[in-house]
Amino acid sequence: MSQKIAIIELYQHDEVLDNFLYHLNDSIYLIEVYCSYSVFQSLNTIYLKNEIKWIPMKEKDTIPKFLALNKNNIQQNSLVILTTVFSHFKEFRLSIDQQKTLLILHNIHWQLAPKKHYTITSTSFIKDILRIVKVWILNTEHHRKQLVDRVDALGVGSKEILEYIHSCNNFSFKKKIFCVPFACHKRKKTLTSNEVIKIIVPGIVSNENRNYHEVLGALKQIKTKLRKKVQLILLGYPKNIIGKKIQERFSTFVHPQISVKYFTEPVSLTTYNTILLDADFLIIPARKKTIFHTCIELNGHSKLMGTLNDTIKFGKPTLLPSFYPISSSLTELIETYDSSKNLSEKIIAWVNNDLYISRASKTTILEKEYNCQTLKSRLIKTINQVLT
């Protein structure tokens, strides 16, 4: 009899859940998916023909209520995979009994050693203090630690993050920890020299994790006549009023050869993937440091820049800040920049000389390292190790 696996994604990481389902939907396991309603809408039709049991939240449900209602069903599974846990640690812990459990980590400092990485910024001093007080009142640290102690294994999205954890003395836990890549190289479109070059900045439009100011600054420095027209697409909806202001600043940018497109509503995964597949190259303007729940995270070390998965999935040439650690399998596709001026120079060179095309053709190592069948085998091996 096939073993049953419950995958729980109650936040908005539909791309992470999509990766797990892509590898496991035709495996020997019986899959149950417990997810938010928006994630269900995004992915259900993609896996319509697969034997996956979907248990979505109702739109008015809270996470604690949903976990309590489905506790008995979740506990009928041999393995529980928690793809994202950002809150309600006590409720997540109570929803699993004796089941083997794999917890996927996204913000290493916040999830494993928050007290060593707390920060209070001058711009949000009161909010930061209130967050820390709330954590103390709700005993969040205790419940978070109990959940980490309870699970059988931890998973992270890249080898670089795994190496960072092993190289630091900040983390004290005795758990199996695995590298579980969040993307494999699925689709590739042969790039040709187009009249209009489509440059994509993927991800939710927010100032927290991405430096849009650096991108806009680079565009403003393009004084050289471009040999082709460029369409820059901010591929994500604005997270809040700050995201809307970022879009407004881009909308006022005027250049005879550059147009800007953005979205005011959430972008479906199908639309997102279609636009990325048609892109010529990407710009991922990662910030070196981000703050998550008053904890400092280091992009590429304690936190994976999720949009880098788009580079992997679609084999797209990418411009990325020079501080970000790049695996050897991605050096063929990625070129780095260290300032707005430098980014501007790279954009001009890539557009005028079709340099992105030559990079896009060099995906031999990428295709080997992130081969879907290879990663599927690794994931199933990881699952078997957790189950034993």
Side-chain angles (χ1 to χ4, degrees), residues 185 187-188 273 276-277 310-316:
H185 184 59
R187 288 175 280 182
K188 181 180 176 181
N273 288 342
L276 277 171
L277 187 61
D310 299 323
T311 300
I312 296 167
K313 188 187 296 185
F314 298 99
K316 292 297 179 181

Side-chain angles (χ1 to χ4, degrees), residues 284-346:
I284 300 179
R287 290 192 178 278
K288 188 171 186 177
K289 295 181 180 179
T290 66
I291 297 176
F292 187 83
H293 287 255
T294 68
C295 277
I296 290 180
E297 300 288 351
L298 303 176
N299 260 323
H301 297 285
S302 72
K303 177 182 176 65
L304 176 69
M305 197 68 191
T307 47
L308 200 57
N309 292 323
D310 299 323
T311 300
I312 296 167
K313 188 187 296 185
F314 298 99
K316 292 297 179 181
T318 299
L319 293 171
L320 185 73
S322 56
F323 66 80
Y324 200 98
I326 305 170
S327 69
S328 57
S329 58
L330 294 177
T331 53
E332 295 173 318
L333 276 176
I334 293 175
E335 189 168 337
T336 62
Y337 62 89
D338 55 22
S339 65
S340 278
K341 185 176 185 298
N342 191 218
L343 175 58
S344 177
E345 293 166 349
K346 298 290 170 88

Side-chain angles (χ1 to χ4, degrees), residues 85-145:
V85 180
F86 286 157
S87 60
H88 306 294
F89 304 101
K90 180 180 179 181
E91 288 77 9
F92 274 100
R93 180 178 58 81
L94 293 175
S95 70
I96 52 178
D97 184 24
Q98 301 302 314
Q99 292 71 38
K100 296 289 186 177
T101 306
L102 171 64
L103 172 63
I104 304 300
L105 304 177
H106 299 279
N107 299 277
I108 306 303
H109 290 167
W110 179 71
Q111 290 178 290
L112 295 183
K115 290 181 180 178
K116 295 179 180 179
H117 298 94
Y118 274 142
T119 184
I120 297 175
T121 62
S122 57
T123 54
S124 58
F125 179 81
I126 295 176
K127 281 186 178 181
D128 289 346
I129 292 295
L130 289 175
R131 281 198 190 105
I132 292 172
V133 170
K134 184 179 178 181
V135 165
W136 178 71
I137 292 174
L138 297 178
N139 207 12
T140 302
E141 299 294 354
H142 171 72
H143 294 305
R144 178 166 42 213
K145 186 176 185 303

Side-chain angles (χ1 to χ4, degrees), residues 188-191 315 317 332-333 355-364 367:
K188 181 180 176 181
K189 181 178 179 180
T190 302
L191 294 181
E332 295 173 318
L333 276 176
L355 296 184
Y356 64 94
I357 295 177
S358 59
R359 281 195 174 269
S361 65
K362 299 174 182 177
T363 57
T364 308
E367 290 171 14

Side-chain angles (χ1 to χ4, degrees), residues 7 22 33 36 42 103 165 168 171 229 231 271 278 339-340:
I7 307 177
Y22 183 81
V33 177
S36 64
S42 176
L103 172 63
I165 291 174
C168 289
F171 313 111
K229 289 186 177 181
Q231 183 184 46
T271 300
D278 198 39
S339 65
S340 278

